[in-house]
Amino acid sequence: MTVAGVMRQYQVVGRKAATDDHPNPEAYRMIIFAPNAVIAKSKFWYYLHQFRKMKKTTGEILDCVELTEKNSRTVKNYGIWLRYSSRSGTHNMYREFRDVKLTGAVSQLYDEMAGRHRCRPRSIQIIRTATVGAKDLKRNNGMQFAKAGVKFPLPHRVSSAKRGQRALSDSTYSTVRPTTFFG
Amino acid sequence: MPFTRYAEVGRIVLVNYGPESGKIATIVDIVDQNKCLIDGPESGVARQVIPFSRIALTDLTVKIQRNARAKTLKAAWAEAETTTKWEATSWAKKLSMKKKRATLTDFDRFKVMVAKKQKSAIIAKKMEELSA
């Protein structure tokens, strides 16, 4: 699947189609991360037919609902367990991300896997996600920002022409060298 | 020259870019190396995640806990008299001066020219007196 932009979280519920012998088959619920509902339903069948004997043609989706973050006003630490296939095999992995929403952390995950491991979204399966307390973090990167009293300066601030800032965009010539030290 | 302005919980920042540009807010939490969570209930900045490249740190801070609610933030701002302190800084004064200049009408610019001429006339006269 192509993942452009932010991922969304869906709860998809489906079951095998009802027949005369089994009028009420068991329903299965999955949490799927996908950019839209169409891909979410497709991924639901992708996983379901690996776990149970059912597929899109023999089953029906009962419900597909987008789940929204309960509290997007605090930064949380998310631990994500995933399984991905690389060029030489498939591996399990555990990564941590700090973000305001779970879907934000998952989007970060896909971007980071692509950057660090050249891993395409189609090769990633998210096994489990969880909010992790600051003292249970295992990776250094998140730990240093989750610590109490974290502070750091912003050294070597470069003005970017993208933001219409003076340093690069104002005039072709200048008598003043740009400054990167702002305290 | 050591660093004196740190990105930390409670630091007052000026938003440089985006719909809220020109307003001040407080850093409520730090997400990671590039992003922080800011909030400015007093100045009309919605609580949001913003990258450091869009903000500028100021010298002012307020004493708050991480993830302070808007109510506690407002109280802390009032206690530290942040808005008055900010407006008294030359940085804020320069910003408001620029804003004012951008909204001048032609008549206002005429008035500015006349005032400048009067000022330089007074200075020139004084200089003549002193050098004589």
Side-chain angles (χ1 to χ4, degrees), chain A residues 73-75 98 100 145-147 150-153 155 157 163 181-183, chain B residues 3-8 29-33 37 47 49 52-53 55 66:
Chain A
R73 298 171 70 79
T74 52
V75 180
R98 269 174 73 76
V100 133
F145 293 106
K147 253 197 311 207
V150 56
K151 72 177 190 179
F152 51 91
R157 301 211 80 188
R163 311 204 183 287
F181 176 74
F182 291 103
Chain B
F3 290 102
T4 51
R5 296 178 187 165
Y6 292 93
E8 54 191 330
D29 199 356
I30 298 190
V31 179
D32 62 19
Q33 181 75 13
L37 186 64
R47 193 174 184 122
V49 172
F52 286 119
S53 51
I55 60 174
R66 193 179 250 240

PDB file of all heavy atoms in Angstrom, chain A residues 73-75 98 100 145-147 150-153 155 157 163 181-183, chain B residues 3-8 29-33 37 47 49 52-53 55 66:
ATOM      1  N   ARG A  73      -3.733  16.058  23.570  1.00  0.00           N
ATOM      2  CA  ARG A  73      -3.151  17.268  24.128  1.00  0.00           C
ATOM      3  C   ARG A  73      -1.920  16.974  24.973  1.00  0.00           C
ATOM      4  O   ARG A  73      -1.329  17.879  25.530  1.00  0.00           O
ATOM      5  CB  ARG A  73      -4.196  17.999  24.986  1.00  0.00           C
ATOM      6  CG  ARG A  73      -5.387  18.433  24.168  1.00  0.00           C
ATOM      7  CD  ARG A  73      -6.488  18.945  25.044  1.00  0.00           C
ATOM      8  NE  ARG A  73      -6.177  20.215  25.656  1.00  0.00           N
ATOM      9  CZ  ARG A  73      -6.262  21.382  25.049  1.00  0.00           C
ATOM     10  NH1 ARG A  73      -6.636  21.441  23.793  1.00  0.00           N
ATOM     11  NH2 ARG A  73      -5.948  22.491  25.683  1.00  0.00           N
ATOM     12  N   THR A  74      -1.570  15.688  25.095  1.00  0.00           N
ATOM     13  CA  THR A  74      -0.342  15.368  25.823  1.00  0.00           C
ATOM     14  C   THR A  74       0.529  14.497  24.944  1.00  0.00           C
ATOM     15  O   THR A  74       0.031  13.736  24.109  1.00  0.00           O
ATOM     16  CB  THR A  74      -0.638  14.605  27.113  1.00  0.00           C
ATOM     17  OG1 THR A  74      -1.457  13.490  26.797  1.00  0.00           O
ATOM     18  CG2 THR A  74      -1.339  15.475  28.125  1.00  0.00           C
ATOM     19  N   VAL A  75       1.827  14.600  25.159  1.00  0.00           N
ATOM     20  CA  VAL A  75       2.766  13.782  24.401  1.00  0.00           C
ATOM     21  C   VAL A  75       2.914  12.456  25.117  1.00  0.00           C
ATOM     22  O   VAL A  75       3.102  12.409  26.324  1.00  0.00           O
ATOM     23  CB  VAL A  75       4.129  14.481  24.310  1.00  0.00           C
ATOM     24  CG1 VAL A  75       5.089  13.628  23.521  1.00  0.00           C
ATOM     25  CG2 VAL A  75       3.983  15.835  23.670  1.00  0.00           C
ATOM     26  N   ARG A  98       7.802   9.003  20.276  1.00  0.00           N
ATOM     27  CA  ARG A  98       7.077   9.974  21.094  1.00  0.00           C
ATOM     28  C   ARG A  98       6.175  10.778  20.181  1.00  0.00           C
ATOM     29  O   ARG A  98       6.613  11.335  19.172  1.00  0.00           O
ATOM     30  CB  ARG A  98       8.061  10.932  21.778  1.00  0.00           C
ATOM     31  CG  ARG A  98       8.508  10.464  23.122  1.00  0.00           C
ATOM     32  CD  ARG A  98       9.567  11.389  23.655  1.00  0.00           C
ATOM     33  NE  ARG A  98       9.041  12.669  24.095  1.00  0.00           N
ATOM     34  CZ  ARG A  98       8.382  12.854  25.213  1.00  0.00           C
ATOM     35  NH1 ARG A  98       8.122  11.854  26.004  1.00  0.00           N
ATOM     36  NH2 ARG A  98       7.944  14.048  25.548  1.00  0.00           N
ATOM     37  N   VAL A 100       1.920  12.753  19.898  1.00  0.00           N
ATOM     38  CA  VAL A 100       0.691  13.191  20.554  1.00  0.00           C
ATOM     39  C   VAL A 100      -0.449  12.203  20.286  1.00  0.00           C
ATOM     40  O   VAL A 100      -1.367  12.064  21.069  1.00  0.00           O
ATOM     41  CB  VAL A 100       0.417  14.613  20.046  1.00  0.00           C
ATOM     42  CG1 VAL A 100      -0.977  14.822  19.627  1.00  0.00           C
ATOM     43  CG2 VAL A 100       0.898  15.637  21.020  1.00  0.00           C
ATOM     44  N   PHE A 145      14.105  12.536  25.985  1.00  0.00           N
ATOM     45  CA  PHE A 145      13.102  13.604  25.952  1.00  0.00           C
ATOM     46  C   PHE A 145      11.975  13.366  26.939  1.00  0.00           C
ATOM     47  O   PHE A 145      11.219  14.278  27.247  1.00  0.00           O
ATOM     48  CB  PHE A 145      12.531  13.765  24.537  1.00  0.00           C
ATOM     49  CG  PHE A 145      13.541  14.280  23.572  1.00  0.00           C
ATOM     50  CD1 PHE A 145      14.113  13.440  22.629  1.00  0.00           C
ATOM     51  CD2 PHE A 145      13.954  15.590  23.620  1.00  0.00           C
ATOM     52  CE1 PHE A 145      15.062  13.902  21.750  1.00  0.00           C
ATOM     53  CE2 PHE A 145      14.907  16.070  22.744  1.00  0.00           C
ATOM     54  CZ  PHE A 145      15.457  15.218  21.807  1.00  0.00           C
ATOM     55  N   ALA A 146      11.850  12.131  27.415  1.00  0.00           N
ATOM     56  CA  ALA A 146      10.797  11.857  28.375  1.00  0.00           C
ATOM     57  C   ALA A 146      11.234  12.201  29.785  1.00  0.00           C
ATOM     58  O   ALA A 146      10.418  12.272  30.682  1.00  0.00           O
ATOM     59  CB  ALA A 146      10.411  10.384  28.300  1.00  0.00           C
ATOM     60  N   LYS A 147      12.532  12.434  29.954  1.00  0.00           N
ATOM     61  CA  LYS A 147      13.064  12.734  31.292  1.00  0.00           C
ATOM     62  C   LYS A 147      12.477  14.043  31.802  1.00  0.00           C
ATOM     63  O   LYS A 147      12.196  14.961  31.038  1.00  0.00           O
ATOM     64  CB  LYS A 147      14.583  12.908  31.201  1.00  0.00           C
ATOM     65  CG  LYS A 147      15.340  11.759  31.793  1.00  0.00           C
ATOM     66  CD  LYS A 147      16.767  12.092  32.077  1.00  0.00           C
ATOM     67  CE  LYS A 147      17.454  12.752  30.919  1.00  0.00           C
ATOM     68  NZ  LYS A 147      18.884  12.495  30.932  1.00  0.00           N
ATOM     69  N   VAL A 150      13.912  18.184  31.013  1.00  0.00           N
ATOM     70  CA  VAL A 150      14.730  18.163  29.795  1.00  0.00           C
ATOM     71  C   VAL A 150      14.834  19.573  29.243  1.00  0.00           C
ATOM     72  O   VAL A 150      13.851  20.302  29.192  1.00  0.00           O
ATOM     73  CB  VAL A 150      14.144  17.197  28.756  1.00  0.00           C
ATOM     74  CG1 VAL A 150      12.708  17.531  28.438  1.00  0.00           C
ATOM     75  CG2 VAL A 150      14.960  17.190  27.486  1.00  0.00           C
ATOM     76  N   LYS A 151      16.051  19.970  28.905  1.00  0.00           N
ATOM     77  CA  LYS A 151      16.211  21.259  28.257  1.00  0.00           C
ATOM     78  C   LYS A 151      17.458  21.239  27.394  1.00  0.00           C
ATOM     79  O   LYS A 151      18.435  20.554  27.701  1.00  0.00           O
ATOM     80  CB  LYS A 151      16.267  22.392  29.270  1.00  0.00           C
ATOM     81  CG  LYS A 151      17.521  22.482  30.073  1.00  0.00           C
ATOM     82  CD  LYS A 151      17.417  23.704  30.966  1.00  0.00           C
ATOM     83  CE  LYS A 151      18.750  23.976  31.624  1.00  0.00           C
ATOM     84  NZ  LYS A 151      18.702  25.163  32.463  1.00  0.00           N
ATOM     85  N   PHE A 152      17.399  21.961  26.298  1.00  0.00           N
ATOM     86  CA  PHE A 152      18.540  22.031  25.401  1.00  0.00           C
ATOM     87  C   PHE A 152      18.443  23.328  24.621  1.00  0.00           C
ATOM     88  O   PHE A 152      17.354  23.834  24.370  1.00  0.00           O
ATOM     89  CB  PHE A 152      18.562  20.829  24.447  1.00  0.00           C
ATOM     90  CG  PHE A 152      17.260  20.585  23.727  1.00  0.00           C
ATOM     91  CD1 PHE A 152      17.011  21.161  22.488  1.00  0.00           C
ATOM     92  CD2 PHE A 152      16.284  19.777  24.281  1.00  0.00           C
ATOM     93  CE1 PHE A 152      15.812  20.944  21.832  1.00  0.00           C
ATOM     94  CE2 PHE A 152      15.086  19.548  23.624  1.00  0.00           C
ATOM     95  CZ  PHE A 152      14.851  20.132  22.400  1.00  0.00           C
ATOM     96  N   PRO A 153      19.591  23.893  24.227  1.00  0.00           N
ATOM     97  CA  PRO A 153      19.541  25.099  23.418  1.00  0.00           C
ATOM     98  C   PRO A 153      19.297  24.718  21.964  1.00  0.00           C
ATOM     99  O   PRO A 153      19.349  23.554  21.603  1.00  0.00           O
ATOM    100  CB  PRO A 153      20.924  25.702  23.604  1.00  0.00           C
ATOM    101  CG  PRO A 153      21.789  24.525  23.842  1.00  0.00           C
ATOM    102  CD  PRO A 153      20.958  23.497  24.547  1.00  0.00           C
ATOM    103  N   PRO A 155      21.135  25.337  18.889  1.00  0.00           N
ATOM    104  CA  PRO A 155      22.359  25.898  18.331  1.00  0.00           C
ATOM    105  C   PRO A 155      22.304  25.958  16.816  1.00  0.00           C
ATOM    106  O   PRO A 155      21.539  25.237  16.185  1.00  0.00           O
ATOM    107  CB  PRO A 155      23.418  24.899  18.786  1.00  0.00           C
ATOM    108  CG  PRO A 155      22.691  23.617  18.919  1.00  0.00           C
ATOM    109  CD  PRO A 155      21.278  23.926  19.252  1.00  0.00           C
ATOM    110  N   ARG A 157      21.198  28.054  14.330  1.00  0.00           N
ATOM    111  CA  ARG A 157      19.877  28.161  13.694  1.00  0.00           C
ATOM    112  C   ARG A 157      20.052  28.720  12.298  1.00  0.00           C
ATOM    113  O   ARG A 157      20.517  29.848  12.111  1.00  0.00           O
ATOM    114  CB  ARG A 157      18.978  29.080  14.506  1.00  0.00           C
ATOM    115  CG  ARG A 157      18.795  28.578  15.904  1.00  0.00           C
ATOM    116  CD  ARG A 157      17.462  28.951  16.425  1.00  0.00           C
ATOM    117  NE  ARG A 157      16.427  28.055  15.950  1.00  0.00           N
ATOM    118  CZ  ARG A 157      15.134  28.250  16.129  1.00  0.00           C
ATOM    119  NH1 ARG A 157      14.721  29.317  16.754  1.00  0.00           N
ATOM    120  NH2 ARG A 157      14.265  27.389  15.673  1.00  0.00           N
ATOM    121  N   ARG A 163      10.939  29.853   4.525  1.00  0.00           N
ATOM    122  CA  ARG A 163      10.046  30.528   5.442  1.00  0.00           C
ATOM    123  C   ARG A 163      10.051  32.031   5.210  1.00  0.00           C
ATOM    124  O   ARG A 163       9.641  32.782   6.061  1.00  0.00           O
ATOM    125  CB  ARG A 163      10.445  30.224   6.871  1.00  0.00           C
ATOM    126  CG  ARG A 163      10.620  28.764   7.043  1.00  0.00           C
ATOM    127  CD  ARG A 163      10.444  28.286   8.440  1.00  0.00           C
ATOM    128  NE  ARG A 163      10.712  26.877   8.488  1.00  0.00           N
ATOM    129  CZ  ARG A 163       9.880  25.958   8.003  1.00  0.00           C
ATOM    130  NH1 ARG A 163       8.749  26.312   7.477  1.00  0.00           N
ATOM    131  NH2 ARG A 163      10.205  24.697   8.061  1.00  0.00           N
ATOM    132  N   PHE A 181      23.498  32.477  15.656  1.00  0.00           N
ATOM    133  CA  PHE A 181      23.459  32.358  17.117  1.00  0.00           C
ATOM    134  C   PHE A 181      22.349  33.242  17.636  1.00  0.00           C
ATOM    135  O   PHE A 181      22.394  34.454  17.504  1.00  0.00           O
ATOM    136  CB  PHE A 181      24.797  32.778  17.714  1.00  0.00           C
ATOM    137  CG  PHE A 181      24.801  32.770  19.217  1.00  0.00           C
ATOM    138  CD1 PHE A 181      24.829  31.577  19.913  1.00  0.00           C
ATOM    139  CD2 PHE A 181      24.755  33.960  19.924  1.00  0.00           C
ATOM    140  CE1 PHE A 181      24.818  31.572  21.285  1.00  0.00           C
ATOM    141  CE2 PHE A 181      24.744  33.954  21.307  1.00  0.00           C
ATOM    142  CZ  PHE A 181      24.787  32.762  21.989  1.00  0.00           C
ATOM    143  N   PHE A 182      21.334  32.601  18.227  1.00  0.00           N
ATOM    144  CA  PHE A 182      20.238  33.388  18.782  1.00  0.00           C
ATOM    145  C   PHE A 182      20.072  33.096  20.261  1.00  0.00           C
ATOM    146  O   PHE A 182      18.988  32.940  20.764  1.00  0.00           O
ATOM    147  CB  PHE A 182      18.935  33.086  18.022  1.00  0.00           C
ATOM    148  CG  PHE A 182      18.957  33.616  16.626  1.00  0.00           C
ATOM    149  CD1 PHE A 182      19.178  32.766  15.556  1.00  0.00           C
ATOM    150  CD2 PHE A 182      18.788  34.962  16.377  1.00  0.00           C
ATOM    151  CE1 PHE A 182      19.209  33.249  14.260  1.00  0.00           C
ATOM    152  CE2 PHE A 182      18.824  35.462  15.092  1.00  0.00           C
ATOM    153  CZ  PHE A 182      19.044  34.608  14.026  1.00  0.00           C
ATOM    154  N   GLY A 183      21.176  33.014  20.977  1.00  0.00           N
ATOM    155  CA  GLY A 183      21.096  32.809  22.425  1.00  0.00           C
ATOM    156  C   GLY A 183      20.992  31.347  22.762  1.00  0.00           C
ATOM    157  O   GLY A 183      20.789  30.960  23.862  1.00  0.00           O
TER     158      GLY A 183
ATOM    159  N   PHE B   3      25.116  29.386  25.911  1.00  0.00           N
ATOM    160  CA  PHE B   3      23.701  29.503  25.582  1.00  0.00           C
ATOM    161  C   PHE B   3      22.911  29.886  26.831  1.00  0.00           C
ATOM    162  O   PHE B   3      23.148  29.362  27.902  1.00  0.00           O
ATOM    163  CB  PHE B   3      23.166  28.180  25.039  1.00  0.00           C
ATOM    164  CG  PHE B   3      23.705  27.845  23.684  1.00  0.00           C
ATOM    165  CD1 PHE B   3      24.717  26.915  23.543  1.00  0.00           C
ATOM    166  CD2 PHE B   3      23.191  28.451  22.548  1.00  0.00           C
ATOM    167  CE1 PHE B   3      25.215  26.605  22.290  1.00  0.00           C
ATOM    168  CE2 PHE B   3      23.689  28.142  21.296  1.00  0.00           C
ATOM    169  CZ  PHE B   3      24.703  27.224  21.168  1.00  0.00           C
ATOM    170  N   THR B   4      22.001  30.810  26.666  1.00  0.00           N
ATOM    171  CA  THR B   4      21.163  31.175  27.808  1.00  0.00           C
ATOM    172  C   THR B   4      19.705  30.839  27.571  1.00  0.00           C
ATOM    173  O   THR B   4      18.957  30.666  28.504  1.00  0.00           O
ATOM    174  CB  THR B   4      21.252  32.679  28.106  1.00  0.00           C
ATOM    175  OG1 THR B   4      21.005  33.382  26.889  1.00  0.00           O
ATOM    176  CG2 THR B   4      22.592  33.042  28.664  1.00  0.00           C
ATOM    177  N   ARG B   5      19.302  30.761  26.291  1.00  0.00           N
ATOM    178  CA  ARG B   5      17.907  30.448  26.002  1.00  0.00           C
ATOM    179  C   ARG B   5      17.808  28.958  25.689  1.00  0.00           C
ATOM    180  O   ARG B   5      18.391  28.488  24.732  1.00  0.00           O
ATOM    181  CB  ARG B   5      17.409  31.241  24.800  1.00  0.00           C
ATOM    182  CG  ARG B   5      17.401  32.729  25.015  1.00  0.00           C
ATOM    183  CD  ARG B   5      16.952  33.428  23.758  1.00  0.00           C
ATOM    184  NE  ARG B   5      17.092  34.863  23.870  1.00  0.00           N
ATOM    185  CZ  ARG B   5      17.051  35.701  22.850  1.00  0.00           C
ATOM    186  NH1 ARG B   5      16.870  35.219  21.628  1.00  0.00           N
ATOM    187  NH2 ARG B   5      17.184  36.989  23.036  1.00  0.00           N
ATOM    188  N   TYR B   6      17.079  28.250  26.514  1.00  0.00           N
ATOM    189  CA  TYR B   6      16.922  26.809  26.320  1.00  0.00           C
ATOM    190  C   TYR B   6      15.499  26.477  25.922  1.00  0.00           C
ATOM    191  O   TYR B   6      14.555  27.122  26.346  1.00  0.00           O
ATOM    192  CB  TYR B   6      17.243  26.054  27.616  1.00  0.00           C
ATOM    193  CG  TYR B   6      18.685  26.129  27.994  1.00  0.00           C
ATOM    194  CD1 TYR B   6      19.131  27.108  28.848  1.00  0.00           C
ATOM    195  CD2 TYR B   6      19.599  25.217  27.481  1.00  0.00           C
ATOM    196  CE1 TYR B   6      20.465  27.185  29.196  1.00  0.00           C
ATOM    197  CE2 TYR B   6      20.925  25.289  27.817  1.00  0.00           C
ATOM    198  CZ  TYR B   6      21.357  26.279  28.671  1.00  0.00           C
ATOM    199  OH  TYR B   6      22.670  26.354  29.016  1.00  0.00           O
ATOM    200  N   ALA B   7      15.357  25.456  25.092  1.00  0.00           N
ATOM    201  CA  ALA B   7      14.033  24.912  24.811  1.00  0.00           C
ATOM    202  C   ALA B   7      13.694  24.029  26.003  1.00  0.00           C
ATOM    203  O   ALA B   7      14.331  23.014  26.238  1.00  0.00           O
ATOM    204  CB  ALA B   7      14.053  24.086  23.540  1.00  0.00           C
ATOM    205  N   GLU B   8      12.727  24.447  26.815  1.00  0.00           N
ATOM    206  CA  GLU B   8      12.381  23.696  28.027  1.00  0.00           C
ATOM    207  C   GLU B   8      10.918  23.964  28.330  1.00  0.00           C
ATOM    208  O   GLU B   8      10.317  24.905  27.779  1.00  0.00           O
ATOM    209  CB  GLU B   8      13.230  24.167  29.204  1.00  0.00           C
ATOM    210  CG  GLU B   8      13.136  25.671  29.414  1.00  0.00           C
ATOM    211  CD  GLU B   8      14.163  26.191  30.387  1.00  0.00           C
ATOM    212  OE1 GLU B   8      14.542  25.432  31.290  1.00  0.00           O
ATOM    213  OE2 GLU B   8      14.573  27.346  30.242  1.00  0.00           O
ATOM    214  N   ASP B  29       5.441  20.938  26.490  1.00  0.00           N
ATOM    215  CA  ASP B  29       6.142  19.655  26.521  1.00  0.00           C
ATOM    216  C   ASP B  29       7.011  19.570  25.276  1.00  0.00           C
ATOM    217  O   ASP B  29       6.730  20.218  24.270  1.00  0.00           O
ATOM    218  CB  ASP B  29       5.143  18.490  26.555  1.00  0.00           C
ATOM    219  CG  ASP B  29       5.779  17.202  27.053  1.00  0.00           C
ATOM    220  OD1 ASP B  29       7.006  17.193  27.300  1.00  0.00           O
ATOM    221  OD2 ASP B  29       5.068  16.198  27.202  1.00  0.00           O
ATOM    222  N   ILE B  30       8.045  18.747  25.363  1.00  0.00           N
ATOM    223  CA  ILE B  30       8.927  18.575  24.216  1.00  0.00           C
ATOM    224  C   ILE B  30       8.685  17.196  23.640  1.00  0.00           C
ATOM    225  O   ILE B  30       8.721  16.188  24.357  1.00  0.00           O
ATOM    226  CB  ILE B  30      10.391  18.736  24.643  1.00  0.00           C
ATOM    227  CG1 ILE B  30      10.578  20.143  25.178  1.00  0.00           C
ATOM    228  CG2 ILE B  30      11.313  18.501  23.464  1.00  0.00           C
ATOM    229  CD1 ILE B  30      11.987  20.528  25.423  1.00  0.00           C
ATOM    230  N   VAL B  31       8.400  17.129  22.340  1.00  0.00           N
ATOM    231  CA  VAL B  31       8.113  15.840  21.702  1.00  0.00           C
ATOM    232  C   VAL B  31       9.414  15.126  21.383  1.00  0.00           C
ATOM    233  O   VAL B  31       9.641  14.002  21.792  1.00  0.00           O
ATOM    234  CB  VAL B  31       7.294  16.043  20.415  1.00  0.00           C
ATOM    235  CG1 VAL B  31       7.024  14.715  19.752  1.00  0.00           C
ATOM    236  CG2 VAL B  31       6.004  16.759  20.713  1.00  0.00           C
ATOM    237  N   ASP B  32      10.280  15.812  20.625  1.00  0.00           N
ATOM    238  CA  ASP B  32      11.588  15.221  20.331  1.00  0.00           C
ATOM    239  C   ASP B  32      12.532  16.325  19.883  1.00  0.00           C
ATOM    240  O   ASP B  32      12.275  17.495  20.158  1.00  0.00           O
ATOM    241  CB  ASP B  32      11.461  14.097  19.287  1.00  0.00           C
ATOM    242  CG  ASP B  32      10.940  14.593  17.956  1.00  0.00           C
ATOM    243  OD1 ASP B  32      10.998  15.800  17.673  1.00  0.00           O
ATOM    244  OD2 ASP B  32      10.466  13.768  17.165  1.00  0.00           O
ATOM    245  N   GLN B  33      13.575  15.949  19.191  1.00  0.00           N
ATOM    246  CA  GLN B  33      14.612  16.905  18.795  1.00  0.00           C
ATOM    247  C   GLN B  33      14.077  18.081  17.999  1.00  0.00           C
ATOM    248  O   GLN B  33      14.617  19.177  18.050  1.00  0.00           O
ATOM    249  CB  GLN B  33      15.652  16.147  17.960  1.00  0.00           C
ATOM    250  CG  GLN B  33      16.814  16.960  17.479  1.00  0.00           C
ATOM    251  CD  GLN B  33      17.796  17.260  18.580  1.00  0.00           C
ATOM    252  OE1 GLN B  33      17.728  16.678  19.641  1.00  0.00           O
ATOM    253  NE2 GLN B  33      18.689  18.183  18.340  1.00  0.00           N
ATOM    254  N   LEU B  37       5.393  20.875  22.013  1.00  0.00           N
ATOM    255  CA  LEU B  37       3.972  21.144  22.170  1.00  0.00           C
ATOM    256  C   LEU B  37       3.841  22.527  22.792  1.00  0.00           C
ATOM    257  O   LEU B  37       4.394  22.771  23.860  1.00  0.00           O
ATOM    258  CB  LEU B  37       3.363  20.077  23.086  1.00  0.00           C
ATOM    259  CG  LEU B  37       1.858  20.064  23.295  1.00  0.00           C
ATOM    260  CD1 LEU B  37       1.150  19.774  22.007  1.00  0.00           C
ATOM    261  CD2 LEU B  37       1.502  19.004  24.318  1.00  0.00           C
ATOM    262  N   ARG B  47      -3.428  24.933  21.377  1.00  0.00           N
ATOM    263  CA  ARG B  47      -2.460  23.933  21.818  1.00  0.00           C
ATOM    264  C   ARG B  47      -2.111  23.055  20.627  1.00  0.00           C
ATOM    265  O   ARG B  47      -2.975  22.436  20.031  1.00  0.00           O
ATOM    266  CB  ARG B  47      -3.078  23.101  22.921  1.00  0.00           C
ATOM    267  CG  ARG B  47      -2.070  22.270  23.649  1.00  0.00           C
ATOM    268  CD  ARG B  47      -2.752  21.603  24.815  1.00  0.00           C
ATOM    269  NE  ARG B  47      -1.836  20.853  25.614  1.00  0.00           N
ATOM    270  CZ  ARG B  47      -1.629  21.051  26.905  1.00  0.00           C
ATOM    271  NH1 ARG B  47      -2.283  21.976  27.523  1.00  0.00           N
ATOM    272  NH2 ARG B  47      -0.766  20.320  27.557  1.00  0.00           N
ATOM    273  N   VAL B  49       1.314  20.893  18.274  1.00  0.00           N
ATOM    274  CA  VAL B  49       2.695  20.470  18.090  1.00  0.00           C
ATOM    275  C   VAL B  49       3.274  21.354  16.994  1.00  0.00           C
ATOM    276  O   VAL B  49       2.655  21.534  15.952  1.00  0.00           O
ATOM    277  CB  VAL B  49       2.763  18.992  17.704  1.00  0.00           C
ATOM    278  CG1 VAL B  49       4.170  18.607  17.331  1.00  0.00           C
ATOM    279  CG2 VAL B  49       2.275  18.134  18.841  1.00  0.00           C
ATOM    280  N   PHE B  52      10.546  23.316  15.901  1.00  0.00           N
ATOM    281  CA  PHE B  52      11.371  24.410  16.405  1.00  0.00           C
ATOM    282  C   PHE B  52      11.734  25.409  15.320  1.00  0.00           C
ATOM    283  O   PHE B  52      12.027  26.563  15.609  1.00  0.00           O
ATOM    284  CB  PHE B  52      12.648  23.869  17.044  1.00  0.00           C
ATOM    285  CG  PHE B  52      12.416  23.232  18.379  1.00  0.00           C
ATOM    286  CD1 PHE B  52      12.706  21.907  18.580  1.00  0.00           C
ATOM    287  CD2 PHE B  52      11.909  23.966  19.425  1.00  0.00           C
ATOM    288  CE1 PHE B  52      12.480  21.311  19.811  1.00  0.00           C
ATOM    289  CE2 PHE B  52      11.681  23.390  20.662  1.00  0.00           C
ATOM    290  CZ  PHE B  52      11.976  22.045  20.848  1.00  0.00           C
ATOM    291  N   SER B  53      11.702  24.946  14.049  1.00  0.00           N
ATOM    292  CA  SER B  53      12.063  25.871  12.979  1.00  0.00           C
ATOM    293  C   SER B  53      11.016  26.958  12.792  1.00  0.00           C
ATOM    294  O   SER B  53      11.270  27.935  12.119  1.00  0.00           O
ATOM    295  CB  SER B  53      12.260  25.105  11.681  1.00  0.00           C
ATOM    296  OG  SER B  53      11.144  24.289  11.436  1.00  0.00           O
ATOM    297  N   ILE B  55       9.537  28.533  15.408  1.00  0.00           N
ATOM    298  CA  ILE B  55       9.431  29.386  16.592  1.00  0.00           C
ATOM    299  C   ILE B  55      10.787  29.980  16.927  1.00  0.00           C
ATOM    300  O   ILE B  55      11.812  29.523  16.452  1.00  0.00           O
ATOM    301  CB  ILE B  55       8.895  28.622  17.818  1.00  0.00           C
ATOM    302  CG1 ILE B  55       9.801  27.463  18.168  1.00  0.00           C
ATOM    303  CG2 ILE B  55       7.485  28.142  17.581  1.00  0.00           C
ATOM    304  CD1 ILE B  55       9.392  26.770  19.446  1.00  0.00           C
ATOM    305  N   ARG B  66       5.202  20.075  33.367  1.00  0.00           N
ATOM    306  CA  ARG B  66       5.013  19.516  32.046  1.00  0.00           C
ATOM    307  C   ARG B  66       3.523  19.238  31.817  1.00  0.00           C
ATOM    308  O   ARG B  66       2.822  18.828  32.730  1.00  0.00           O
ATOM    309  CB  ARG B  66       5.747  18.197  32.099  1.00  0.00           C
ATOM    310  CG  ARG B  66       6.006  17.508  30.861  1.00  0.00           C
ATOM    311  CD  ARG B  66       6.751  16.256  31.237  1.00  0.00           C
ATOM    312  NE  ARG B  66       8.099  16.399  30.782  1.00  0.00           N
ATOM    313  CZ  ARG B  66       8.667  15.588  29.915  1.00  0.00           C
ATOM    314  NH1 ARG B  66       8.045  14.567  29.500  1.00  0.00           N
ATOM    315  NH2 ARG B  66       9.875  15.806  29.482  1.00  0.00           N
TER     316      ARG B  66
END
